[in-house]
Amino acid sequence: MSEQTPLDPAADDSRGLPEGDSSGRPAGDPGLPDGDPFGLPEGDPFGPHNLPYGVFSLAGEGEGRRRVGVRLGSYVLDAGAAAAALGSPYVSLLARATLNPLLAAGRTAWSDVRRALTAWVTVPAHREAVRPLLHPLSEVTLHLPFEVADYVDFYASEHHATHLGQIFRPDAPTPLTPNWKHLPIGYHGRSGTVVVSGTEVVRPTGQRKAPADSAPVFGPSVRLDIEAEVGFVVGAPSAHGTPVPLTDFREHVFGLCLLNDWSARDIQAWEYVPLGPFLGKSFATSVSAWITPLEALDAARVSPPERTHQLLPYLDDSAESVADEPGGYDLRMTVTLNGQVISEPPFSSVYWTAAQQLTHMTVNGASLRTGDLYGSGTVSGPAAGQYGSLIEITWNGRDPLELPDGKRSFLEDGDEVTLSAWAPGPNGTRVGLGEVTGRISAAR
Ligand code: CA
């Protein structure tokens, strides 16, 4: 690892890219609309090499006017209107209120639509038609971009799982449970409470019982935490009863987003044995408003960490046919609390790949649905400054964070947490991921 301080935004920038902020935007570039959406600064992380998808409405239009948008710099392209204006056959996929029809259309359509969009925003002959359909981000409302079908959350970071083992099972022979290196551990979550970035998160109320207490008490959580994760969005469904092999990952998964799995540690600790997370997690899960297509991230693909155990064949990604398409993604994540950078988790350090998670999730014959969402689990690197949750950062409250407005072991009402990230793009560019932010409000 780099010897630089982990909280330096430019730390671990081994590719020698220009210094920039956590969205990947070059230093000194405010990213403000300059009146010409086609006049993007060179190296803008939301340039034509990125083109993430979202759903937006214009101020004052109301909910009924939601439509698919594609981000270009600090603008949003009304993708369906562009398709109509340019006589594209993809109007049926893009002139919609949600991404689900595009998600369901499958990999060939995803590529074709992306190629068309790239042309619409780069070919000078299209500019006259496209320019009026680009809206400044400051003038739009962003909505949950797809209808979430099933939601699964994994536990795929070895460093995160190790840290939690050290915190909760200090007397165990090893911090990892015996199954951890043999399968990606996960649980089924609550899709109806997945919310878009910017949505207020109400402090959950429930039962908790500290080990020294004789009986549980009821009230607002006093140990509310974050989990910095990456979410994967399933497009093409699979047949019930038929497992999805590792090699079919990109036939089914459309793209990814940042995800914050808000977690009430006190509720979780009292309820989770023996069936796993329940009310300590299900109150809210925040996702970014932008879904980055996997095709925009080809330059960010990396091999996952070295495997220390022989994997069963269905999960073994060392075979040539799979290893040709490395399953890791080099996403450089940043976590801020009330504007202060508190962590920079490296997604490339996550042990189980998104392909292995998808394959394991379906190996019993469980089917995929369009709009399925699965989280990677908290992303934590090995070093201090790379932990993706407060329970690790403060070591279960032993080492509180010192913030300008006071100490924090867990979240206070009014605290705002933002996850952002960028990835290496083609030709030395950066691909910015849409941020996910949420503010805690008092329990009701
Ligand atoms: Ca989680």
Side-chain angles (χ1 to χ4, degrees), residues 26-48:
D29 168 18
L32 298 173
D34 60 359
D36 180 8
F38 301 111
L40 283 177
E42 192 168 350
D44 191 294
F46 291 96

Side-chain angles (χ1 to χ4, degrees), residues 153-154 187 227 229 261 263 281 377-378:
D153 197 25
F154 284 94
Y187 68 96
E227 292 194 340
E229 304 195 17
D261 175 27
S263 299
K281 300 275 194 177
T378 310

Side-chain angles (χ1 to χ4, degrees), residues 248-308:
D248 281 1
F249 168 67
R250 280 162 66 99
E251 303 301 320
H252 293 278
V253 173
F254 171 80
L256 56 76
C257 60
L258 294 175
L259 182 152
N260 188 345
D261 175 27
W262 306 96
S263 299
R265 300 299 180 196
D266 41 4
I267 296 172
Q268 182 185 358
W270 172 229
E271 75 178 3
Y272 88 107
V273 178
L275 289 184
F278 186 35
L279 303 178
K281 300 275 194 177
S282 63
F283 55 94
T285 306
S286 297
V287 294
S288 46
W290 299 105
I291 308 301
T292 306
L294 293 185
E295 280 187 272
L297 294 164
D298 281 344
R301 298 175 72 179
V302 290
S303 294
E306 189 178 349
R307 275 60 174 94
T308 52

